Amino acid sequence: MLAYHDIDDPSTFEEHMRFIRRHLTPVSLDDVIAAGPRGKSLPRNAVLITFDDGHRSVLEIAMPILLELRFPAVAFVVAGLLDTVLPPWWVEVEELVRSGERHVAEMARRGPEEVIRTLKHYSESRRAEAIDLLRRRAARQGSPEPQVRLRDLVRLEAAGIEVGSHTWSHATLSANRDETIREELTRAHEAIAGAVGHPPRSFAYPSGDWDARAERELRELGYEAAFLFDHRLGACPPPDLMRIPR
């Protein structure tokens, strides 16, 4: 299971994909799900290609390459960013911290990477307060960043890139209350379903952070697979389709 975010080096990404074409066997989400409870075998050297966050480079760079090679993939989108020019919260925080705006006590004298790691473990409400304080100290917000549009999700799926959910706001689910988890999952689920014409069936835990309450909600919503981001190779077939390593 390979996990990418934005494609900031197109030539290297294409090199990866052509290596896969020569030496490995790309599989679809259908293949992975079928290899779970039903126990169907995957081909030798099987690879599932996935993308987290729904960055525009997946649409503009990865999609044409995958389409040429006829590779299936899955893109997990942060539904609350679709159709906006809002930067992801971690991009905005990096910009504000690099400009010297770190006027939150526990963030003092830290670099942007450490600040972002800290905020990943905040609840949504606490993180929003911290980011708002950074904005007010800087007297500005992050630079606009056009995001993937809802109608682009149909283009992705037509190219063989299935759209999955990555929550509404990229919340770290284990840091939040039950009602926040439910809202994050349900709002994203409904937005994606409305855009592509069917409910999403796969999910990627933000920051790879599995949460038992989230898994229960996902099962109730009908999800068939959920992915971690633990930098591990997984067993084949996956022993637990709701906790697949990547």
Side-chain angles (χ1 to χ4, degrees):
M1 308 295 172
L2 296 183
Y4 292 88
H5 286 92
D6 57 316
I7 308 302
D8 56 3
D9 186 341
S11 62
T12 297
F13 177 76
E14 183 169 3
E15 182 182 347
H16 288 185
M17 295 304 105
R18 295 197 181 279
F19 178 91
I20 290 171
R21 186 180 191 180
R22 290 192 302 271
H23 302 290
L24 307 169
T25 306
V27 296
S28 67
L29 182 61
D30 276 333
D31 296 323
V32 172
I33 291 173
R38 292 187 287 276
K40 294 183 179 178
S41 61
L42 287 168
R44 181 174 173 80
N45 295 328
V47 176
L48 179 67
I49 300 161
T50 71
F51 303 90
D52 283 9
D53 303 336
H55 193 269
R56 283 200 64 84
S57 60
V58 176
L59 182 78
E60 296 169 351
I61 298 171
M63 187 178 76
I65 294 169
L66 295 173
L67 194 57
E68 177 192 347
L69 298 174
R70 298 183 181 179
F71 284 2
V74 186
F76 301 105
V77 301
V78 179
L81 293 177
L82 298 169
D83 269 348
T84 75
V85 293
L86 301 173
W89 69 260
W90 56 93
V91 173
E92 181 178 10
V93 166
E94 180 176 9
E95 181 181 337
L96 292 173
V97 172
R98 288 195 187 283
S99 72
E101 303 303 331
R102 281 175 279 175
H103 300 281
V104 178
E106 61 262 47
M107 298 181 196
R109 296 182 301 279
R110 296 183 182 182
E113 293 82 7
E114 189 174 355
V115 172
I116 291 167
R117 280 197 301 270
T118 299
L119 292 179
K120 280 184 177 181
H121 298 288
Y122 281 18
S123 68
E124 274 306 283
S125 57
R126 187 182 179 198
R127 184 164 70 201
E129 290 172 1
I131 294 173
D132 185 58
L133 179 57
L134 289 173
R135 290 173 184 147
R136 285 189 280 114
R137 296 286 188 176
R140 63 183 176 85
Q141 295 194 3
S143 304
E145 183 178 326
Q147 301 295 326
V148 168
R149 297 163 296 183
L150 283 163
R151 66 175 181 267
D152 291 330
L153 302 187
V154 176
R155 294 176 57 201
L156 287 171
E157 293 218 323
I161 303 174
E162 185 166 335
V163 176
S165 175
H166 202 35
T167 71
W168 179 259
S169 69
H170 204 280
T172 301
L173 299 172
S174 61
N176 284 277
R177 298 177 298 176
D178 293 0
E179 54 267 34
T180 303
I181 291 173
R182 188 172 300 113
E183 181 179 11
E184 284 281 331
L185 300 183
T186 302
R187 288 184 73 188
H189 184 80
E190 292 174 350
I192 294 168
V196 299
H198 62 83
R201 59 177 178 159
S202 62
F203 179 83
Y205 295 98
S207 305
D209 190 23
W210 175 83
D211 183 88
R213 298 165 300 162
E215 181 177 325
R216 287 194 295 272
E217 292 289 337
L218 290 168
R219 289 185 184 278
E220 288 183 11
L221 289 167
Y223 284 79
E224 300 178 63
F227 293 80
L228 308 175
F229 206 138
D230 53 359
H231 305 281
R232 293 185 176 201
L233 292 172
C236 183
D240 185 348
L241 285 175
M242 298 305 286
R243 274 192 267 183
I244 301 176
R246 288 184 296 167

